[in-house]
C-alpha cells in the first residue's frame, strides 16, 4: 500500500466496501474553532504556512518538541521562513496525525504528491502559492469542495455574531452556526473575571450586581444565539463540577468576587456548579445539546502562557481527576430532559464516561475522541470500545475541532476511514452482518448528528 | 466470513485449531446469578422475551439507551409487545455483545438463522414459541445441552437453599452450588441494615446484640453453605476496604448503627474492613475461594433506583478509586493462607490489580473481564495483557455472571473463541509453541477452575 | 511461523524490511542494573540457573506465582535443583515475556532449540553447562557478541566506582558508564536514613549537619561520577514530588530527622521536593539527563520484604497516583534547561505523561515501556500511542533495565522487533512512507540515544 492511497487505513475488503458508502456524505461538524470572519471575507489565502500552520497549535507543539525556535512558530519572521523551517523537521513528525493531515491536504486539496521535507520545501511553497491564488481557493469554495453542509463555530456569549449574520444572508452554501460557550463567566478566579462580567453587562445594557443579573444577561445572549441558529452550548472544564448549590450561596460567592476578592477552592466549585446547572436549564428551554469537554488541564507550561498566551500548546490531560462524584447531581437533575454530550480528554476516563452515558440512557452521549486522541489509533481504540459498553449508534459522532479551515476534509476523511475499518473488522470476525455495518456507518456519519443536534 | 459462523472471532488458522480443542469442554462456572427455583421447577419457558430479556439488565439498559419506554422494558405490557419493541430497535445494538449473545442463542439453541429486526420479529416470536414448548426446552435439559458441569449461584447467607437442596437430591446432571455473598451485612448505612441484621438473627435463632453475635451467626450460615457444597464466598464492594481494625472499635460502630444512628465515612470504612477480615478468616477455615468484585458504583441513576430498584441498570465503573491502600493490610494478613480472586470493573484498574496479584503469588488471582468488559474486545484486551504481567495460567478463568439461563452457552462460546484467538495470535507471532497454546487453553477452560475452586 | 524464528513478532513484510535494517545496530543502553564487578572479573559463569535466574526477580516472581517453594528460588538448595524445579513449571509461564526471553537466550546465545520443560531440563542443564565453560562465554565477550556499545549501570552516589574505573582502564570494548541514583538520600523516613547520611559524609570526609552539607557532599559525588563518564542521574519515586520549597524549611525537616525523629507526610513531601530540585540543578550544571522512574509502590508484600529484602518482587504499580500537581513546579522551573526522561510504571499514566512531555517541548521525553510493560503487547501499545500524542522520534528509546547480563540481547531484540512491527503496520496502512519508517527506526534505536545522552 502506498502512502495515503485509496486504501489508507482500510485493512480489509469489507472496510473498503463500508468506506465507499460513506466517503461522499456531507460533513456535519458540531464543534470546531472556525474563524468566521475569514470565511465571511472569503479572500484568497497568502501561502501554505498561513493555511496549514499559522492558527494550528497542534503544529506549533510538534515544532517546539523538535526544538524549533519560537520565532519560526509564532514569531515575526516571514511565513516563507517558517515554512522552510517546518519542512526541515517535518519528517520527524512521522507517526503523529499532523504528518498525515498536512499531507492529506496537500494531496486531496492541492493535488500535490510530494513529501514535505527539506528537499521539497521550496517546490511545495511555490506550487501551493500558485494554487492558493486561484479563484476557487477561497474559504467558501473550499468548504463547498469539502462538502461541509453544517458547521458550528465556538463563540463567546457576548459575541455580536456579525459575521455569522452576514454569512446567513450571503449565498454561502455551508450553514454556519454559532455555539454558545460561556467559559469566561465560569472561571471566577481569573484576573479579568470582573472585567469580563462588566462586558457581559454592556452587551445587554444592564449593570450586573447579583448572580441573578448575570444569569439574566447570559440568558439574553442565549436567546440571541438561538435566534441566530445555535443548536448547542459548549463548556470546557477541568473537573465537571455539577453539585446542587443554593442560590443564595452562589450569589454571595459571586458578590465576593465582584468586590475584588479571590474565592477559595470550595467557593469556586460551588460557583461553577451553580452556573453549570443554570446553563443546563437554559439548554433545556431551547432544546439545545449541552457539550461538556472535560479533563483539560490548561496552560500548564508557564513559559508559553506568559509569552504566547492561552491556547498555545501548554495543555495536558490528567488521569487523576474525579468525574462521577462532581457530575452525578447534575446528570440526575436533568435526567431525560437535557441532551448532554461528554467529551473526555484522557482516554483512561473512557470507561467511566461510557458506563455513565450507558446508565443515563437516551439523552446522555459520549463524544468523539478529542484532541490528543484524534488520531487513527486514538479513534480506533475508542470506537472499538464504545459500542461494547454503550451503543455505537448513539455515540455523538465525529467533530473536527478544527483550528484551520483545511482540517474539515482531512480530519473527516481520517475518521470515516477508521470507522469503516472498525466496522469492517467486526464483519470480518463474524460479529455483525455486512448490511448492518454499512447502515450503521451512514447513520453515525450523518443521520445521528442531524437528529441529535437538530441540524 | 458470515455472521456468527464457525470462524466467528477466530482470525487465523491457529486460533481455529486451538478452539477445536476446547469448544466441547464442560462448563465450570464459578459465578452467576442463576434463578435456582426456575431450574428446580424445570418448567417450559413461556416465550423468547422471558428467556432472553425479562431478567437481564444488560438488555434493559440498551433498550433504554435507544429511547424505548420503560413500560416495554420492565413495565406491564405483554411479553409479545415487549419483544416487538425490542425487535424494532435491535439493529441499533450492533457492536454491543448483547447483539451477538442473543443471536448466538437463536442460532445455537433454537437453530434459527434469522436476524432480529422489525421484519423478522413476528416470525422469530412464533418459531421460538413453538420450540420453547418442546419437552427438551426446559431448564435442566438446556443446562445439559450447554454442557454445564458445575455452576455456582449467588446467595444471601440467610437463604434457606431449599432449591439447591432439592436439586442436589434430584437427578439433575448439573452440579449446582451456592455461593455465600454477605454484602447486606456489610452495607451498614443502608436504611434496612438493622432490619436485615434482625433477619440474620432469626435465621440462626439467636438475638444479635454485638458484632460477635453477628459474626457467630454469619459463621453458622457459612458452615451451612459449606455443608451444602459451597466452594466460595463473593463480595461486591466499591472500594475494597480491608484495613486492620480493632475488635472493640468495630463493635462500637455496629452498636451505634443498631441503635438507629447512621455512621460516618470513617466508621463505615472501619466496619467494612473489620467484616472483610472476618469473612477472610471464615474462608481460610473452609478453604474457600474469596471472590471480590470491586469498583462498581451502584445505583447512580436516581430515576431507575427510585422507580425500578437496585440492579436495574444504574451502575457504573469509576477509574478514580483507590485500591492498593485499602487492600494491602488484608492481602498481607492472609498472605499464603487464603485463595482470593479480584475482579475489576474498570479496565484502568487492571494494571494495578495484575501487578498486585503477581506480587502476592500463588493464592491471589485476577478474575475474568467483568460486566462492561465481558465483550470480545474487553476480554481480548484483558487476556492479551494478563499473561505479560501476571500468568495467564493462574488467571481465575471465565465466569458467566449470567442473568439468564441461556447465557451459559453463548457467553462461554464467546470467551473460548477470544481465548483461542489470543493464543493463536501468540503462536502466529512466534511467541509460543502451538502445543503449549492448546495445552494452556484447555487448562484455563477446565483444570484451572477445577483446582482453584475444588470442584 | 515457528517459535522465535526469524519472523518472530513481525506480522507483515514491511516489518521484516524495517527489522533487517536495525537488527545489527549496536546497543546503547541508558539504564540497567548490571553487576559491574561481575563484568570486571570476567569469569566464566557456573550454570544456566546462575546466568538466567539467580539475580532476576522477574523470574522469581513467576516461580512464586506458580507455587514454587522459596527455597528453590532464593533459598539454599543447589543451582541444579533450582533449575530442575524451574523447568517443571516453566511451561506455565507461557505468554509472559520471561518465557520468550529465556528461550531467546537459549537459542540466540547457546544455539539450543530445546523447549524448557521437565523432559528437557537435564539436557539443557548439561549442554549449557558445557557451553558456559568455554572461553568465549565470559561477560566481556558476551557483551561484545551482543554488540553492546554503551551501557549505564545504576549506582549509589557513595559508590567508589572502582569496578567502573578498572573496566575503563581495561581493554573491554563496551563503554560502561555509571548512573548517579541518590534515592537513599531522598527516603527520609527509612530506618537507616541517618546512618546512610553518615556514610555520605564519610565518602566526602566531612560531617553532615545541615541540608547544605548534604547537598555539598552529594554534589561532590556528582562531580566524581561526571569525571567517571556518567551521563545521567536516575530517580525512583512513587509520587514525583517536585514542589517549590524554601531552603530553611527543608533544612529544618532534615535536622529533625537527623535528631532521630520521623517526619510527617507533609514534611516528607517537602524534603523530597527540595532534594529533587537540588538534583535538577546539579544535572543542569553537568548537562546530564535526569531520569525519573515514577509510580512504583515498593515492597508491598510484607512476607517478601521481611524475609528476602527489597527488590525481591513485592513491587506493584498503582493507577491512583497524582502526577501533574506534584511535578508541575519542577518542570516549569527547569523548562528548557534540563533534559528529563519520565518513565511510567502504570500504563494508565501514559496519556498524562505523554501530553506532559508534549507540552514541555524538546527537553522532556517519555521513557520506554518499563518493567511490567516491557513485553511485546506492553511495548506495542506504548509505541503505537506515543507518536500520536508526542513524537516517536523524540521518545527516549529503549533501555534494558536488565537484572542479568544475558538480557541485553534478548530484551533489545524483542524491542526492535516490536518497533519494526509498529512502523511496518503504519506503512501497510498508508500512514507513513516506507523510507521514513526505516529512517525513523534507525534513529530511535541509535542516533536518538546517542544525542540525548551524549554517548
Amino acid at each position: 500500500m502506498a502512502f495515503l492511497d485509496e486504501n489508507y487505513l482500510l485493512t480489509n475488503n469489507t472496510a473498503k466496501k463500508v468506506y465507499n458508502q460513506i466517503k461522499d456524505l456531507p460533513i456535519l461538524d458540531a464543534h470546531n474553532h472556525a474563524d468566521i470572519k475569514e470565511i465571511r471575507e472569503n479572500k484568497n489565502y497568502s501561502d501554505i504556512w498561513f493555511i496549514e500552520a499559522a492558527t494550528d497549535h497542534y503544529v506549533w507543539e510538534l515544532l517546539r518538541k523538535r526544538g524549533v525556535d519560537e520565532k519560526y512558530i509564532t514569531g515575526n519572521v516571514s511565513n516563507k521562513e517558517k515554512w522552510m523551517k517546518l519542512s526541515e523537521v517535518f519528517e520527524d513528525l512521522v507517526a503523529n496525525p499532523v504528518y498525515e493531515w498536512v499531507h492529506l491536504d496537500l494531496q486531496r486539496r492541492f493535488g500535490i504528491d510530494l513529501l514535505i521535507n527539506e528537499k521539497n520545501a521550496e517546490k511545495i511553497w511555490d506550487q501551493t502559492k500558485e494554487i492558493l491564488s486561484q479563484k476557487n481557493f477561497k474559504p467558501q469554495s473550499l468548504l463547498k469542495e469539502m462538502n461541509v453542509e453544517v458547521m458550528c463555530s465556538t463563540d463567546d456569549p457576548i459575541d455580536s455574531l456579525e459575521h455569522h449574520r452576514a454569512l446567513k444572508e450571503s449565498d454561502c452554501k455551508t450553514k454556519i452556526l454559532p455555539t454558545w460557550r460561556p467559559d469566561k463567566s465560569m472561571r471566577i478566579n481569573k484576573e479579568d473575571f470582573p472585567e469580563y462580567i462588566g462586558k457581559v453587562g454592556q452587551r445587554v445594557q444592564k449593570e450586573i450586581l447579583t448572580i441573578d443579573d448575570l444569569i439574566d444577561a447570559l440568558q439574553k445572549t442565549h436567546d440571541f444565539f438561538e435566534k441566530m441558529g445555535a443548536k448547542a452550548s459548549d463548556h470546557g472544564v477541568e473537573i465537571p463540577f455539577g453539585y446542587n448549590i443554593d442560590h443564595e450561596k452562589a450569589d454571595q460567592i459571586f458578590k465576593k468576587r465582584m468586590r475584588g476578592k479571590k474565592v477559595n477552592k470550595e467557593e469556586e466549585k460551588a460557583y461553577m456548579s451553580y452556573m453549570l446547572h443554570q446553563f443546563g436549564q437554559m439548554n433545556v428551554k431551547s432544546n439545545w445539546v449541552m457539550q461538556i469537554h472535560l479533563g483539560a488541564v490548561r496552560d500548564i507550561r508557564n513559559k508559553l502562557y506568559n509569552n504566547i498566551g492561552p491556547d498555545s500548546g501548554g495543555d495536558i490531560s490528567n488521569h487523576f481527576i474525579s468525574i462521577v462524584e462532581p457530575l452525578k447531581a447534575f446528570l440526575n437533575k436533568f435526567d431525560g430532559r437535557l441532551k448532554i454530550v461528554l467529551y473526555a480528554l484522557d482516554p483512561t476516563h473512557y470507561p467511566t464516561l461510557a458506563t455513565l452515558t450507558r446508565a443515563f440512557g437516551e439523552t446522555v452521549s459520549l463524544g468523539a475522541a478529542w484532541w490528543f486522541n484524534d488520531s487513527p489509533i486514538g479513534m480506533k481504540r475508542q470506537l472499538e470500545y464504545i459500542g461494547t459498553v454503550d451503543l455505537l449508534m448513539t455515540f455523538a459522532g465525529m467533530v473536527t475541532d478544527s483550528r484551520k479551515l483545511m482540517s474539515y476534509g482531512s480530519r473527516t476523511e481520517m475518521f470515516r476511514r477508521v470507522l469503516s475499518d472498525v466496522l469492517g473488522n467486526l464483519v470480518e470476525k463474524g460479529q455483525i452482518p455486512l448490511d448492518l455495518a454499512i447502515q450503521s456507518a451512514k447513520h453515525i456519519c450523518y443521520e445521528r448528528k442531524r437528529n441529535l443536534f437538530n441540524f
Side-chain angles (χ1 to χ4, degrees), chain A:
Chain A
M1 192 186 291
F3 182 50
L4 304 181
D5 73 4
E6 73 276 14
N7 294 330
Y8 168 53
L9 295 174
L10 306 172
T11 62
N12 58 67
N13 286 326
T14 309
K16 292 167 198 171
K17 280 182 207 161
V18 175
Y19 183 62
N20 268 323
Q21 298 289 318
I22 60 170
K23 69 184 166 65
D24 296 324
L25 289 174
I27 293 175
L28 304 175
D29 181 21
H31 175 68
N32 60 64
H33 297 271
D35 182 340
I36 305 303
K37 184 163 172 281
E38 175 186 310
I39 300 173
R40 178 200 177 177
E41 292 177 348
N42 203 32
K43 294 183 194 155
N44 277 100
Y45 291 101
S46 59
D47 56 69
I48 181 80
W49 170 269
F50 183 82
I51 202 166
E52 283 295 349
T55 58
D56 187 352
H57 63 60
Y58 287 72
V59 176
W60 303 353
E61 289 178 81
L62 302 182
L63 298 182
R64 284 183 198 119
K65 190 80 208 173
R66 276 299 295 109
V68 171
D69 192 291
E70 196 64 38
K71 76 172 169 182
Y72 294 102
I73 302 172
T74 55
N76 288 322
V77 308
S78 72
N79 283 0
K80 172 116 188 237
E81 284 172 284
K82 288 176 178 171
W83 174 256
M84 299 307 283
K85 187 58 83 178
L86 174 148
S87 300
E88 264 178 45
V89 301
F90 207 73
E91 291 191 330
D92 299 342
L93 276 46
V94 68
N96 189 287
V98 165
Y99 188 83
E100 293 161 51
W101 286 325
V102 179
H103 278 108
L104 277 171
D105 291 344
L106 268 193
Q107 289 201 16
R108 308 296 194 250
R109 298 278 87 73
F110 290 91
I112 293 174
D113 270 350
L114 294 169
L115 293 174
I116 301 169
N117 56 35
E118 217 171 340
K119 208 188 77 197
N120 293 330
E122 188 94 33
K123 206 183 294 181
I124 294 173
W125 175 267
D126 291 340
Q127 290 186 12
T128 52
K129 190 111 182 127
E130 206 227 291
I131 294 169
L132 283 166
S133 70
Q134 293 168 4
K135 223 178 101 188
N136 66 341
F137 249 80
K138 292 178 183 165
Q140 295 185 20
S141 42
L142 275 169
L143 286 173
K144 198 179 156 199
E145 193 201 314
M146 294 187 290
N147 205 6
V148 184
E149 186 175 306
V150 181
M151 53 182 278
C152 302
S153 58
T154 302
D155 310 277
D156 197 287
I158 62 174
D159 195 294
S160 69
L161 303 181
E162 55 169 320
H163 304 300
H164 289 82
R165 185 191 304 273
L167 277 163
K168 212 173 164 183
E169 290 161 2
S170 78
D171 56 357
C172 173
K173 299 294 179 242
T174 301
K175 205 161 143 185
I176 297 176
L177 307 177
T179 303
W180 191 76
R181 178 148 170 169
D183 288 2
K184 285 188 180 166
S185 62
M186 287 276 269
R187 294 176 183 164
I188 190 166
N189 266 344
K190 284 260 175 187
E191 282 309 320
D192 58 0
F193 177 80
E195 189 192 327
Y196 176 76
I197 298 301
K199 285 184 194 163
V200 175
Q202 282 165 30
R203 177 80 184 109
V204 300
Q205 292 176 298
K206 189 161 175 269
E207 198 182 0
I208 293 175
L209 300 171
T210 67
I211 202 162
D212 283 335
D213 293 340
L214 177 58
I215 303 300
D216 283 350
L218 289 171
Q219 179 67 61
K220 286 200 174 73
T221 66
H222 198 278
D223 294 343
F224 173 64
F225 271 63
E226 190 178 0
K227 223 170 57 189
M228 293 296 294
K231 304 295 186 190
S233 72
D234 186 33
H235 309 269
V237 285
E238 184 176 328
I239 302 173
F241 297 121
Y243 297 101
N244 283 316
I245 301 295
D246 283 348
H247 171 269
E248 197 178 350
K249 185 174 171 190
D251 190 44
Q252 282 166 3
I253 297 166
F254 176 71
K255 284 174 178 161
K256 175 177 171 185
R257 181 68 187 96
M258 292 304 285
R259 286 193 304 271
K261 287 189 189 144
K262 292 285 174 84
V263 303
N264 65 34
K265 284 277 164 203
E266 278 313 304
E267 291 168 330
E268 190 177 10
K269 269 190 216 179
Y271 174 77
M272 292 178 78
S273 294
Y274 184 82
M275 294 303 281
L276 202 74
H277 282 249
Q278 294 301 318
F279 301 153
Q281 200 51 54
M282 294 179 196
N283 290 334
V284 166
K285 213 182 111 206
S286 306
N287 194 26
W288 282 8
V289 176
M290 186 156 184
Q291 299 180 97
I292 302 180
H293 283 86
L294 63 87
V297 183
R298 304 274 174 183
D299 305 319
I300 189 103
R301 191 179 188 187
N302 298 342
K303 195 195 271 186
L304 282 182
Y305 185 71
N306 296 336
N307 297 340
I308 328 275
D311 288 334
S312 54
D315 303 337
I316 63 165
S317 71
N318 186 356
H319 70 287
F320 197 71
I321 278 178
S322 177
I323 294 171
V324 176
E325 181 58 28
L327 201 52
K328 69 184 178 190
F330 181 82
L331 292 175
N332 275 304
K333 180 161 169 191
F334 291 100
D335 188 354
R337 300 188 294 135
L338 171 62
K339 292 186 285 187
I340 298 170
V341 176
L342 299 171
Y343 297 88
L345 188 55
D346 197 302
T348 62
H349 299 163
Y350 287 162
T352 302
L353 283 199
T355 58
L356 207 55
T357 55
R358 168 179 174 144
F360 277 90
E362 201 185 8
T363 52
V364 183
S365 307
L366 193 64
W370 172 34
W371 201 342
F372 307 123
N373 308 304
D374 191 358
S375 66
I377 196 78
M379 292 190 284
K380 181 169 179 275
R381 288 184 184 175
Q382 195 208 30
L383 290 170
E384 283 180 343
Y385 177 74
I386 297 174
T388 66
V389 173
D390 196 14
L391 289 180
L392 199 53
M393 294 287 271
T394 60
F395 158 61
M398 199 261 175
V399 296
T400 70
D401 202 12
S402 286
R403 303 266 162 191
K404 61 191 181 201
L405 193 107
M406 292 290 269
S407 281
Y408 299 103
S410 47
R411 288 186 176 232
T412 301
E413 177 176 342
M414 188 184 275
F415 172 81
R416 289 181 180 178
R417 287 179 178 274
V418 172
L419 176 67
S420 300
D421 197 52
V422 167
L423 288 166
N425 276 325
L426 290 173
V427 174
E428 297 271 328
K429 287 185 186 165
Q431 296 180 258
I432 60 175
L434 174 60
D435 287 353
L436 211 46
I438 290 171
Q439 181 180 314
S440 305
K442 285 180 182 171
H443 180 86
I444 291 163
C445 291
Y446 194 77
E447 286 93 351
R448 167 61 177 156
K449 290 195 267 189
R450 184 142 216 165
N451 299 339
L452 178 61
F453 288 92
N454 286 318
F455 286 148

